[in-house]
Each structure stands twice: as structure tokens, then as C-alpha cells.
Amino acid sequence: MAASSLLLLIDDITAMLDDVAVLTKVAAGKTSGVMGDDLALNAEQVAGVRVHREIPVVWAVAKGSFVNKLILVPAALAISAFLPVAILPLLVIGGVFLCYEGFEKVAHKLLHQPAGERSPAEAARARPELSRDDALALEKSKITGAVRTDFVLSAEIIVITLGTMTTAPFVQQVLVLCFVAIGATVLVYGLVAGIVKLDDLGLQLHKKEGSVPRAIGTGILRAAPWLMKTLSVVGTAAMFAVGGGIIVHGAPPIEHIVALLEAPIAAQSALLGTIANAVFAAVVGLIAGGVAVGVVTLGQRLYRRGPAVQQG
């Protein structure tokens, strides 16, 4: 009797693990696009630090990502159980914040601030030779920005994952969320570490004996700067595309307009339809980011003017 009970228990566990594996595979497929954006964004965010500090910075961001998911997984489960209507508004807020950061980044690149108004990290970026304090300020700024961006993207990954298993038992939901959260973090930041160390790999191959390793090393050294520049552009565009996509799905009138614009393009080609959807989402994100930056800037000016008026 005891043996049959044990076999039944093992059979139930095996069946549950099979279901978890299937759900995890489905969730991974659904979130692959966001993981790709996460990779591009974070590779761009951590680029530019001192060579010997690249891996420590990636590790610091990865630890921040684990903390984000440690907060988000139970929070998402609790909100899904007790206040499911709050998930979409919270996601939209996160999407607007992502667009705000993207627009602010573009604005900082296009509009050169006077040196006196720059933050320590921005001043560090502007100088070719960094002091130790400036280098640390730059690292801290990059880590903080990357972890903040990761929080929004992680929230989207977790919500998408939850959406794929609304009818699954609670235990399976917990296991799948944990697997996806850990797997996404390891995959993304493992690839980020590999990308930022590409130039070191190229240099090592370039120093080796033999024409083939040296040729490969030279190719990597030439391609690495272009890859980082490409990731910088793709990472910023991903902020608008992901943030705008969240806003579009959270605002039915905007979603309807985007669907109308996308329909004739998608009728010609599914691939063109997908590209058009991403472009329209990025446009929405760009507009939302501009509005958010304008509102924040206006609020800051009014806040500063208030104390000045009181003193006058």
C-alpha cells in the first residue's frame, strides 16, 4: 500500500514537472522578444566602463536583476490573485517610464548641456581621461540605470509569463515563473558579459601564432566597436518599441489606431506587418517619452520657482 502510494506520488510529481516544462517552453517563446530587447539595452547600458571593470559591472547589474525578480515574482502572484485589474495600469506606468528614459537619453545626446549643469556621471562621460571618482560615478550611474531598466523589462517578462498560464495550478505558476526569471537573467547577462569582452577575445586571438586565429582576432577587433554602436542604437530604439508596445496594449483607442494602420501592411506580408507594428509602437513610445520628459521638466521648474517666489 505504501509502495503504491509512493509510486502515485512520483507519478503526480512527474506529470506536474512535464506540465511545468511545457508551460516554461511556451512562456520562453512568448517572452523571447522582450529578452532580446533586454539584451540589447543592457549591453548598451554597461558599455563604456573601464576594461578591467566590465565583468564586475555586468555582475552588479545581474545581481540587481535577480533582486528585481525576487521582488516582482511574489508581487505579480499577489496582484494576480487579489487585484488583477492593477496589472495593466502598472505595466503602462512602467512603459511610460521606459519611454521617458529613452527620450531623455536621446535628448542628452542631441542637446549638449553646459559642463556646470552635468551630473558627475555625465561629466565623466564627457572627459577622455577619467579620475577614479569620476570612473566610479560613471559605473554607479550605469549600474543604476541598467537595473532600473531591467525592472520594467523583468515586469513585462513576468506578466507575459503569467498570461500564458492563467488556468494552471498555483504551484505550477510559481515554478514556471521562477524558472523563467532565473533562466532569463542567466541567459541575458551571460550574453552581455560575452559581448562586452569580445574585444579581449579578439586581442587574444590576434596574438596567437597562425594566420587563421590572427585573421579571426582581427575581424573581431574590427567588428566589436561597430557591434557596440549598433547595440547602442538598437538598445535606445528598444526602449521606445517596448515601452510604446506596452502603452499601445494598455490603451484600446491607440491600439485600434495602430491596428488600422498595420492591417494593410500585414495583408501584404506577415513579416512587414510585424515590422510595422514595432515601428508604430516605437513612434507611440517616442511621443509618450517626449510628453513625459516635458511634464517632468515643467514640474521641476515649477518646483524650483516655488521656493524662489517664497523667498522673494
Side-chain angles (χ1 to χ4, degrees):
M1 192 74 170
S4 61
S5 299
L6 179 61
L7 288 173
L8 285 172
L9 177 61
I10 292 172
D11 188 56
D12 289 341
I13 292 172
T14 303
M16 184 186 70
L17 291 176
D18 286 341
D19 291 340
V20 167
V22 171
L23 289 170
T24 301
K25 184 178 179 180
V26 172
K30 293 279 188 181
T31 58
S32 59
V34 183
M35 290 184 196
D37 294 332
D38 200 1
L39 170 62
L41 282 169
N42 282 290
E44 187 269 331
Q45 290 268 45
V46 301
V49 299
R50 292 169 294 175
V51 174
H52 68 282
R53 293 290 301 163
E54 286 174 338
I55 296 301
V57 168
V58 173
W59 175 236
V61 179
K63 287 191 291 185
S65 179
F66 276 118
V67 172
N68 285 343
K69 292 175 178 68
L70 194 63
I71 295 168
L72 286 167
V73 168
L77 286 168
I79 294 172
S80 178
F82 300 109
L83 195 63
V85 293
I87 290 179
L88 188 58
L90 289 173
L91 261 185
V92 170
I93 292 170
V96 172
F97 181 75
L98 205 56
C99 297
Y100 167 83
E101 283 205 318
F103 195 92
E104 193 178 42
K105 183 182 292 186
V106 172
H108 275 290
K109 288 180 180 179
L110 297 178
L111 305 174
H112 299 286
Q113 293 178 296
E117 294 182 11
R118 290 176 178 168
S119 68
E122 289 167 337
R125 291 189 191 98
R127 287 195 291 271
E129 296 295 333
L130 300 180
S131 67
R132 185 175 181 277
D133 289 341
D134 287 336
L136 289 173
L138 175 60
E139 282 187 17
K140 185 176 179 182
S141 172
K142 283 184 171 291
I143 292 168
T144 302
V147 172
R148 194 167 53 222
T149 301
D150 176 271
F151 188 90
V152 177
L153 292 172
S154 295
E156 189 178 9
I157 288 170
I158 287 167
V159 170
I160 291 172
T161 302
L162 266 178
T164 64
M165 49 180 185
T166 51
T167 58
F170 180 76
V171 174
Q172 289 186 16
Q173 291 185 13
V174 172
L175 289 173
V176 172
L177 280 175
C178 290
F179 287 148
V180 170
I182 294 170
T185 304
V186 172
L187 176 64
V188 167
Y189 290 99
L191 289 173
V192 169
I195 290 169
V196 299
K197 299 307 288 184
L198 263 180
D199 50 354
D200 289 350
L201 173 63
L203 187 60
Q204 290 297 322
L205 288 173
H206 185 72
K207 291 178 179 178
K208 286 186 176 293
E209 298 269 341
S211 58
V212 175
R214 292 186 68 181
I216 295 173
T218 301
I220 291 174
L221 287 172
R222 288 177 179 173
W226 288 102
L227 176 62
M228 295 312 299
K229 287 178 183 178
T230 302
L231 284 174
S232 177
V233 174
V234 171
T236 304
M239 282 185 162
F240 295 121
V242 174
I246 296 171
I247 295 167
V248 167
H249 292 306
I254 299 176
E255 188 174 24
H256 181 66
I257 293 171
V258 170
L260 288 176
L261 294 172
E262 181 193 340
I265 302 172
Q268 297 179 10
S269 167
L271 177 61
L272 288 176
T274 302
I275 294 171
N277 183 271
V279 171
F280 291 139
V283 171
V284 171
L286 186 64
I287 295 169
V291 172
V293 168
V295 170
V296 171
T297 303
L298 179 63
Q300 289 174 340
R301 288 181 180 176
L302 290 175
Y303 178 77
R304 290 170 186 166
R305 188 180 297 175
V309 171
Q310 289 179 2
Q311 289 177 2

